[in-house]
Amino acid sequence: MKKVVIFSLLWIVPQLANATIQNRLSPLSQITSVTVYEDRAMVTRTAQITLEPKEYQVVFQDLPEKIFEESVRTSGKGQARVTITGLEVKKTFLEKSGEARVRDLENQIQTLEDKKRGIQDLIKSRKSQQNFLSSIQVLSGDQISKELSTKRPNVVEYQQLLDFFYEGMAFANQEIQKLEIQQRELTSKLNLLQRELQQIRSTRALSRNSVIVSLEALRGGTFELDISYVVSGAGWRPSYDARVVGNPHKVELRYYGEVWQKTGEDWPEAKITLSTARPAIRGRVPDLNLWALNFFPSHRYAAKMKESRQSSIQDDFNGKSAGDATAPEEKIRNIARIEMAQVRASGTSVLFEIDERKEVSSDGSRQKFTIAIDQFKPDMQYEAVPKHSPYAFLNSTVKNEADY
């Protein structure tokens, strides 16, 4: 009987393991929206999956290294009726970078190096041809000297030999020049590619993240599963362009947002939102320190001041300065300055949802998005200073009446 039980357990356990593996999904996901802050960004990825009534683990793989793990959130919608039961972030350490750009650069560098070696071999071949022709020239010179001294020379044969030599040398020289030009061009391209590859490798991720979402499908159907995460290495800054247009004059103010990112993943033509907020992953209202205020009676304060003045007079009589740092009056003034506080006020944040679609690559290059174009009525005035300049200047003063 024990043998039968053992056999049954050995048969059931692999079946359960296979069921778990079959319910693990690694769908393709794409970035659908990005909210860019001053020093970070919140990225939302969406995966389309088809579910049956069972439990699943959905894995979002190859996510950036610089994710704030506590910022990861998940949600979804679709025909399937789903309950999300868990969320886990796993880090995988890499032996070498697997970025597509790195592989592309390595392939380009290898191809150019192969071409460069081929050109070097051709240059060696042409130089060998030059050496061969030079040896023929030496032998021909010796032969011509002997024939001139012993018999009548054959001028036609000598001319043919000279033509052969000079044509061969000229052709070899031309080929070597062409090949050396190609070699310099290849070297220049190789240097650029190697610098770019070195820059990427110096900042490449040493690890990647995966997000595992555990869920239970109570009813089957299609489902859109979203995850969002905050990642560092991104930001944006505003820029402006103002110009006077039309007649009557108007001032056109263009407001741009310059977005950059080095998060380790490219942002395709997703929905970009720019925010003026300064978010914090964790936040806690700071505690105020207690100030202990002691009551100091007026008659004691007067007596203290009288004692201080008498001490100051005595110090002057003894040759000490009344402004010595040890004087009680100076100590009181120092304490008052330290306890003064500075208050800074900040306004509310603004979101700019960008209609324009552009890819933002992870190489740190800046992409300019147009936020708004407004026109305002200016106050125009001509000014001239003939003593210093023969020109008249048209000055414009305008008030920005936009809501942002």
Side-chain angles (χ1 to χ4, degrees):
M1 188 66 182
K2 291 182 179 179
K3 291 182 179 179
V4 174
V5 172
I6 293 173
F7 178 81
S8 299
L9 288 173
L10 291 175
W11 182 80
I12 291 173
V13 170
Q15 293 296 320
L16 292 175
N18 290 335
T20 303
I21 294 173
Q22 290 175 359
N23 296 346
R24 188 180 179 93
L25 304 178
S26 299
L28 294 176
S29 63
Q30 60 180 358
I31 296 176
T32 52
S33 65
V34 180
T35 300
V36 187
Y37 302 97
E38 182 183 8
D39 60 348
R40 66 194 69 187
M42 184 175 68
V43 180
T44 300
R45 280 184 169 271
T46 302
Q48 303 280 347
I49 54 178
T50 301
L51 303 175
E52 297 178 359
K54 61 176 74 173
E55 295 181 352
Y56 292 90
Q57 282 189 337
V58 184
V59 183
F60 292 81
Q61 297 178 334
D62 199 27
L63 301 181
E65 177 188 25
K66 301 176 182 178
I67 287 178
F68 295 97
E69 294 186 10
E70 57 269 36
S71 71
V72 180
R73 302 289 185 270
T74 183
S75 62
K77 60 183 178 180
Q79 297 177 350
R81 184 180 175 187
V82 173
T83 300
I84 296 175
T85 58
L87 181 66
E88 182 182 3
V89 180
K90 282 191 174 181
K91 186 180 293 293
T92 304
F93 292 94
L94 306 176
E95 294 182 0
K96 61 180 181 179
S97 175
E99 296 176 3
R101 181 56 181 164
V102 171
R103 294 195 298 270
D104 182 45
L105 287 172
E106 290 173 344
N107 293 333
Q108 291 185 49
I109 290 174
Q110 185 64 50
T111 301
L112 292 179
E113 287 179 344
D114 292 340
K115 289 183 179 180
K116 188 175 179 180
R117 281 192 293 269
I119 290 175
Q120 290 173 347
D121 292 339
L122 288 175
I123 291 175
K124 290 180 181 179
S125 176
R126 295 303 179 188
K127 288 185 176 180
S128 298
Q129 181 182 355
Q130 286 181 329
N131 294 332
F132 175 72
L133 292 173
S134 297
S135 64
I136 292 177
Q137 183 185 20
V138 173
L139 293 175
S140 300
D142 294 340
Q143 183 67 26
I144 291 172
S145 298
K146 291 179 182 178
E147 292 183 358
L148 287 174
S149 61
T150 59
K151 60 182 180 178
R152 184 177 180 181
N154 190 334
V155 178
V156 176
E157 291 180 357
Y158 291 160
Q159 186 63 45
Q160 290 176 350
L161 183 62
L162 290 173
D163 291 342
F164 169 77
F165 172 75
Y166 287 116
E167 288 176 2
M169 290 294 288
F171 177 77
N173 288 331
Q174 290 176 359
E175 290 297 310
I176 290 175
Q177 289 178 0
K178 292 179 182 178
L179 292 171
E180 287 178 344
I181 291 173
Q182 294 178 14
Q183 187 179 33
R184 286 196 298 269
E185 293 176 351
L186 286 177
T187 302
S188 178
K189 292 180 181 179
L190 271 172
N191 291 336
L192 290 175
L193 293 175
Q194 287 170 347
R195 283 199 296 268
E196 183 179 355
L197 180 61
Q198 183 179 4
Q199 182 179 4
I200 294 176
R201 282 176 172 173
S202 64
T203 58
R204 75 179 188 272
L206 300 178
S207 64
R208 301 292 283 180
N209 286 296
S210 298
V211 174
I212 304 172
V213 181
S214 301
L215 54 86
E216 181 181 3
L218 305 177
R219 184 179 65 197
T222 59
F223 194 74
E224 290 185 0
L225 184 62
D226 297 334
I227 62 166
S228 63
Y229 48 87
V230 175
V231 60
S232 62
W236 76 282
R237 69 177 185 183
S239 64
Y240 307 88
D241 181 16
R243 63 185 63 192
V244 178
V245 296
N247 191 11
H249 294 309
K250 292 182 179 179
V251 169
E252 182 179 86
L253 179 64
R254 292 175 179 257
Y255 184 21
Y256 300 101
E258 295 183 359
V259 179
W260 62 272
Q261 61 108 347
K262 291 183 178 180
T263 61
E265 64 178 357
D266 294 335
W267 299 341
E269 297 180 357
K271 181 180 179 182
I272 301 291
T273 301
L274 307 181
S275 176
T276 61
R278 297 187 177 182
I281 302 302
R282 301 195 248 336
R284 181 175 180 270
V285 177
D287 295 327
L288 288 175
N289 296 326
L290 295 177
W291 285 6
L293 303 179
N294 294 326
F295 176 71
F296 200 67
S298 58
H299 65 279
R300 293 184 56 189
Y301 178 76
K304 190 71 174 176
M305 291 299 296
K306 182 178 180 181
E307 180 183 352
S308 175
R309 285 193 296 270
Q310 291 176 349
S311 175
S312 176
I313 294 172
Q314 185 65 33
D315 289 340
D316 288 341
F317 181 77
N318 294 332
K320 295 182 180 180
S321 172
D324 194 348
T326 59
E329 184 179 358
E330 182 64 20
K331 289 183 180 180
I332 295 175
R333 286 199 297 268
N334 284 337
I335 292 174
R337 284 197 295 268
I338 291 174
E339 292 178 348
M340 291 179 60
Q342 295 181 356
V343 180
R344 292 184 176 91
S346 61
T348 58
S349 62
V350 181
L351 292 175
F352 299 105
E353 295 182 356
I354 307 299
D355 294 330
E356 192 176 6
R357 294 288 187 267
K358 289 182 183 178
E359 179 178 357
V360 182
S361 62
S362 184
D363 58 1
S365 59
R366 295 183 181 273
Q367 283 285 1
K368 182 182 287 188
F369 293 88
T370 302
I371 294 177
I373 301 176
D374 287 310
Q375 288 188 345
F376 305 99
K377 185 178 179 180
D379 180 15
M380 311 294 291
Q381 185 176 6
Y382 286 96
E383 293 185 12
V385 186
K387 184 176 181 179
H388 296 289
S389 173
Y391 303 105
F393 299 87
L394 180 60
N395 292 337
S396 170
T397 305
V398 66
K399 180 180 179 182
N400 184 358
E401 297 178 346
D403 295 333
Y404 41 85

